[in-house]
Amino acid sequence: MVSVAALWRHPIKGHGVEAIDAVTLAAGETLPWDRRWAIAQAGARAGDGVWSPCGNFSRGAKSPRLMAIRARVDEAAGVVELRHPDAETITVDPDLAEDAARLVDWAAALADPGKPRPERVVRGPVGMTDSAFPSVAILGTASLAALSERMGMPLAQERFRGNVWIDGLAPFGEFDLVGREISLGSARLAVRERISRCKATAANPDTGLIDADTLGALRAGWGAQEFGVYAEVIAGGRVAVGDALA
């Protein structure tokens, strides 16, 4: 059976990842709490409620240490806890000006000083995804195993910042879903396009240190630095680990 192996969300774009067991999707939206906020860098043209390309934001492709951030959302309180091996744990409501300022200072201490400084928090229209439409990133565990084997080292799911990991497909079989509609649990999604990967995947999500040429391995083994697919939710519903893909 082809089924959901894992679910992840990233409440602050590029700043933390959290595993979850189940989620209720809504048509035309990202996962709830996924990339709800982003941290714009100095000089960025990004504002609240407007989608902006990823180049406007502080993220792991520019500052690999950010990849080691873990997140935990308290949905009832509306706050996010962030943890990093080299920083004190912080809990913030990024919609509050004082907390947003604390968040930016905390993130700046982990960012590459040679890159534009993290400057301000913005909130996306739905979620500040890398795609220009509110997307759910679907990835295959067999693809991760194949890439790990080629590189001679285990690669963690967290490197690839996906939302839904699928068991039971052939390696890179998720590419064959592009152009199709699929069901996950009681939700329905249209698979739109492949995901082109960036240097963030080279960083170890436990340490934030560059330790793997993932992009080189993808190009050498499969001819492109693509991994996973973007899908759009067209009918809402609940998705949980263990649910079938149909």
Side-chain angles (χ1 to χ4, degrees):
M1 181 178 76
V2 180
S3 62
V4 176
L7 295 166
W8 298 91
R9 63 185 176 189
H10 316 82
I12 302 167
K13 182 182 180 73
H15 294 73
V17 58
E18 179 183 21
I20 55 176
D21 294 324
V23 66
T24 299
L25 301 178
E29 298 187 8
T30 59
L31 263 73
W33 298 92
D34 188 57
R35 297 166 170 94
R36 178 176 288 197
W37 300 278
I39 300 179
Q41 63 191 22
R45 297 181 177 180
D48 287 336
V50 179
W51 180 85
S52 298
C54 61
N56 288 285
F57 303 112
S58 179
R59 55 198 177 91
K62 303 170 185 175
S63 298
R65 291 177 72 198
L66 300 179
M67 292 293 287
I69 300 173
R70 299 288 169 146
R72 185 180 68 84
V73 175
D74 182 333
E75 296 184 15
V79 299
V80 183
E81 177 188 271
L82 300 176
R83 307 178 304 280
H84 190 281
D86 300 327
E88 292 186 2
T89 298
I90 186 173
T91 300
V92 293
D93 177 347
D95 285 333
L96 299 179
E98 181 178 346
D99 280 13
R102 288 197 300 120
L103 172 59
V104 168
D105 288 344
W106 186 87
L110 298 170
D112 186 332
K115 296 295 191 297
R117 188 185 190 280
E119 187 174 72
R120 55 195 167 84
V121 174
V122 299
R123 182 165 178 157
V126 178
M128 200 68 79
T129 53
D130 284 352
S131 59
F133 60 93
S135 58
V136 173
I138 300 175
L139 296 84
T141 57
S143 303
L144 184 63
L147 182 58
S148 297
E149 182 177 5
R150 182 172 187 86
M151 300 191 70
M153 62 184 293
L155 299 172
Q157 293 180 2
E158 298 96 298
R159 284 184 189 260
F160 295 91
R161 291 299 195 249
N163 297 126
V164 182
W165 284 85
I166 300 296
D167 272 342
L169 296 172
F172 295 89
E174 58 271 19
F175 290 166
D176 296 332
L177 300 177
V178 174
R180 289 179 49 190
E181 293 185 5
I182 61 171
S183 294
L184 290 174
S186 58
R188 193 147 185 86
L189 299 90
V191 183
R192 299 298 190 202
E193 59 191 44
R194 299 184 183 189
I195 301 173
S196 181
R197 290 298 170 174
C198 68
K199 293 188 294 184
T201 60
N204 186 309
D206 291 325
T207 65
L209 301 176
I210 299 292
D211 69 350
D213 182 12
T214 47
L215 302 186
L218 285 169
R219 289 192 298 267
W222 294 275
Q225 56 191 57
E226 297 172 333
F227 192 92
V229 294
Y230 285 131
E232 180 182 1
V233 182
I234 56 176
R238 186 176 185 274
V239 182
V241 173
D243 282 350
L245 181 154

